[in-house]
Amino acid sequence: MEWNFSTAEELAAALRAGKVTSAELTDEAIARIERDDDAINAICVPDFDRARAAARDADQARARGEDRPLLGIPVTVKESYDIAGLPTTWGMPPHRNYVPAEDAVQVSRLKAAGAVVLGKTNVPLGLQDIQSFNEIYGTTNNPWDHRRTSGGSSGGSAAALASGFGALSIGSDIAGSLRTPAHFCGIYAHKPTLGLAASRGMVPPPGPALPVELDLAVVGPMARTARDLMLLLDVMAGPDPLTFGMAYHLELPPARHERLRDFRVLVLDEHPLLPTGSAVRAGVNRVADALADGGARVERHSPLLPDLAEAATLYMQLLISGSVARFPIESYEQLRIRAAGLSADDRSLDAERLRAMVFSHRDWMVANNRREAHRHGWRQFFAEFDAVVCPITPTPAFPHDHNPNPMERRIDIDGAQYPYFDQLVWAGLATMPGLPATAIPTGRSPEGLPVGVQLIGPMFEDRTPLRLAELLEQEIGGFQAPE
């Protein structure tokens, strides 16, 4: 039997039943990577010798009677996580030789759960793109169409899962970096509530790997089923043992409902600042129909929904000001002059991004105060609804675009051109207030490309959108391997 596209849950059951060994699973996964990854370029740092050793250790542990959540299951890890003995570059050439001495806290949790790490997956330069390419490791192609991107910044992980390279992967998300690659490659991903999973060791080289939780940014699971997402989230979730973990014990609330007909869902397919392409709109409507057919309460409008245009503006302000602070720019004074020259009436997202590049601390505090107002609005919203269904980006995977100036790139939405980074408005809907969001596949576009949507849930109620994802998987189907 071939195991490469089996779920983690299925693999765990087979391992417990003695139907297969971890060594066999690992050898099979490595063989598939060696056969197929030249065309995909998902695994940028293979670690096959240590993986085989870890698989042997897992089999010996099981023979001794041990059983852990991921014992013996092959997985991959996004390149941006520190793994002792392997390079962590974030795709940045000056750091191509940086090798950390310690594992990131999430890598430690994977290993403690018994996972077998096959290697690291490709990312964009500095994790700052919606595609995954860099000078060190090259370009990751979409398994469904090699002329198109797999997404970013967890594009290598999504492509690996879609290609059968391991059962699970861990990624990160600040601008849709878990959800967009999942949408583009036809897999599942979950952006946890902000602060739910510790991120120490997921830090630009050369570190140091301090227990600092960055604004907006999260780490999270990727898989080929919704149940596997829950399995991996349970491994990842919890505070850093160096900080909040000293005093806090995590206990996530159960899902609000177990049956589809009990869910109250708001469905959105239009954004005031950006149109939604026909293929993605069809995916949203497919989910809406499944919800209605299953007896769920489905609404298309609600006065409780926070203002989408203001949410997108706040998200851009917080995202860009934080990114510029982490990756300093040399032309600050020129940017300041350009921003000062903007018309006060120009509220385009391009203009807001430029202004955010030169934000003062006071500017950031003003934006943060507005964010808190939005968070309060979401609390009121989720007193009446359980989830929001909406796009992740306005289109399926787009062709590779390596224009060195991202501000000159454009995204094509049903034949019309829009600024490249405007497509982040949907990702920001959950990211700005720190809400959990689960990306699920909904089928394929007329061109045969995967199309996904996200299910946004209440803060720290991550099991609610994950359970809804599982129920929808039963109604509309889930992952399909590329043809």
Side-chain angles (χ1 to χ4, degrees):
M1 176 177 177
E2 181 177 301
W3 299 96
N4 281 320
F5 285 103
S6 298
T7 70
E9 191 174 40
E10 291 167 344
L11 294 181
L15 286 163
R16 291 186 185 107
K19 295 180 179 179
V20 69
T21 66
S22 179
E24 290 169 337
L25 293 179
T26 301
D27 282 342
E28 187 175 298
I30 290 171
R32 188 174 190 91
I33 293 168
E34 292 178 335
R35 187 191 77 186
D36 294 346
D37 198 38
D38 282 349
I40 304 298
N41 193 33
I43 310 299
C44 60
V45 184
D47 196 21
F48 296 158
D49 289 344
R50 293 200 299 185
R52 288 189 168 106
R56 291 193 295 270
D57 290 344
D59 288 331
Q60 292 169 4
R62 193 171 293 282
R64 294 192 299 269
E66 294 184 27
D67 190 15
R68 286 171 267 159
L70 304 179
L71 186 60
I73 295 175
V75 307
T76 60
V77 172
K78 188 174 181 177
E79 199 271 357
S80 49
Y81 285 89
D82 286 349
I83 299 182
L86 297 182
T88 298
T89 72
W90 287 42
M92 298 186 288
H95 301 295
R96 66 171 65 243
N97 296 319
Y98 174 70
V99 178
E102 296 181 345
D103 288 341
V105 66
Q106 292 299 340
V107 174
S108 296
R109 288 176 179 175
L110 279 179
K111 291 180 178 179
V116 173
V117 178
L118 298 167
K120 303 181 84 174
T121 58
N122 202 21
V123 297
L125 175 66
L127 314 190
Q128 299 287 295
D129 205 342
I130 310 168
Q131 306 172 71
S132 291
F133 68 95
N134 60 76
E135 292 182 15
I136 301 175
Y137 300 122
T139 300
T140 298
N141 297 317
N142 192 303
W144 291 85
D145 182 346
H146 296 176
R147 299 166 299 176
R148 296 175 183 266
T149 181
S150 62
S153 62
S154 307
S157 288
L161 285 166
S163 301
F165 305 161
L168 302 167
S169 193
I170 58 173
S172 61
D173 191 314
I174 193 172
S177 290
L178 286 160
R179 292 161 288 163
T180 298
H183 159 45
F184 286 176
C185 294
I187 65 158
Y188 289 78
H190 181 69
K191 185 201 89 64
T193 297
L194 181 66
L196 179 63
S199 62
R200 176 164 47 90
M202 223 289 298
V203 59
L210 301 175
V212 176
E213 302 298 329
L214 297 176
D215 188 32
L216 302 175
V218 301
V219 296
M222 308 180 80
R224 288 189 292 266
T225 69
R227 287 180 63 86
D228 278 2
L229 284 183
M230 288 190 278
L231 174 68
L232 185 49
L233 181 65
D234 284 341
V235 170
M236 299 182 73
D240 193 309
L242 298 184
T243 55
F244 295 114
M246 298 287 288
Y248 298 164
H249 174 73
L250 175 70
E251 186 174 349
L252 283 176
R256 289 187 174 187
H257 309 292
E258 288 298 320
R259 303 175 302 181
L260 200 60
R261 65 177 177 266
D262 294 328
F263 276 85
R264 304 161 298 170
V265 182
L266 179 69
V267 175
L268 304 175
D269 64 1
E270 282 294 345
H271 196 283
L273 300 182
L274 192 71
T276 303
S278 56
V280 170
R281 189 194 311 277
V284 172
N285 288 331
R286 195 174 302 124
V287 172
D289 290 344
L291 288 166
D293 291 345
R297 172 189 150 197
V298 179
E299 304 286 348
R300 291 282 186 162
H301 305 279
S302 171
L304 294 171
L305 182 70
D307 183 84
L308 296 185
E310 183 182 39
T313 298
L314 286 171
Y315 171 63
M316 289 299 176
Q317 291 172 344
L318 295 165
L319 174 70
I320 300 302
S321 61
S323 297
V324 169
R326 288 194 296 276
F327 297 95
I329 51 179
E330 298 177 359
S331 55
Y332 181 85
E333 185 58 25
Q334 293 178 350
L335 288 171
R336 191 190 64 78
I337 293 170
R338 285 177 55 201
L342 289 170
S343 167
D345 296 330
D346 187 351
R347 311 313 299 183
S348 67
L349 291 176
D350 265 349
E352 296 296 351
R353 282 187 283 269
L354 179 56
R355 292 186 182 103
M357 288 182 181
V358 293
F359 252 30
S360 67
H361 182 60
R362 182 182 184 280
D363 293 331
W364 188 90
M365 290 296 294
V366 170
N368 188 52
N369 288 339
R370 289 300 306 149
R371 167 167 52 183
E372 292 301 335
H374 273 252
R375 281 178 172 154
H376 184 64
W378 281 111
R379 292 185 193 102
Q380 295 175 309
F381 174 88
F382 283 119
E384 297 294 330
F385 290 90
D386 302 308
V388 173
V389 173
C390 64
I392 297 168
T393 72
T395 70
F398 53 85
H400 296 295
D401 183 351
H402 295 180
N403 186 324
N405 182 358
M407 303 307 290
E408 295 179 354
R409 299 179 194 164
R410 293 291 180 267
I411 182 72
D412 184 305
I413 305 176
D414 289 346
Q417 304 292 309
Y418 297 87
Y420 181 73
F421 286 117
D422 281 11
Q423 63 186 299
L424 299 182
V425 296
W426 286 114
L429 187 60
T431 300
M432 186 271 290
L435 301 173
T438 306
I440 68 169
T442 69
R444 284 179 278 177
S445 73
E447 295 76 27
L449 297 170
V451 174
V453 303
Q454 60 181 332
L455 314 176
I456 300 175
M459 186 172 286
F460 289 109
E461 295 190 51
D462 294 57
R463 296 194 191 283
T464 293
L466 284 165
R467 175 58 179 164
L468 182 57
E470 181 186 356
L471 293 169
L472 285 167
E473 186 176 4
Q474 298 167 10
E475 296 295 322
I476 63 175
F479 169 78
Q480 296 177 337
E483 299 172 352

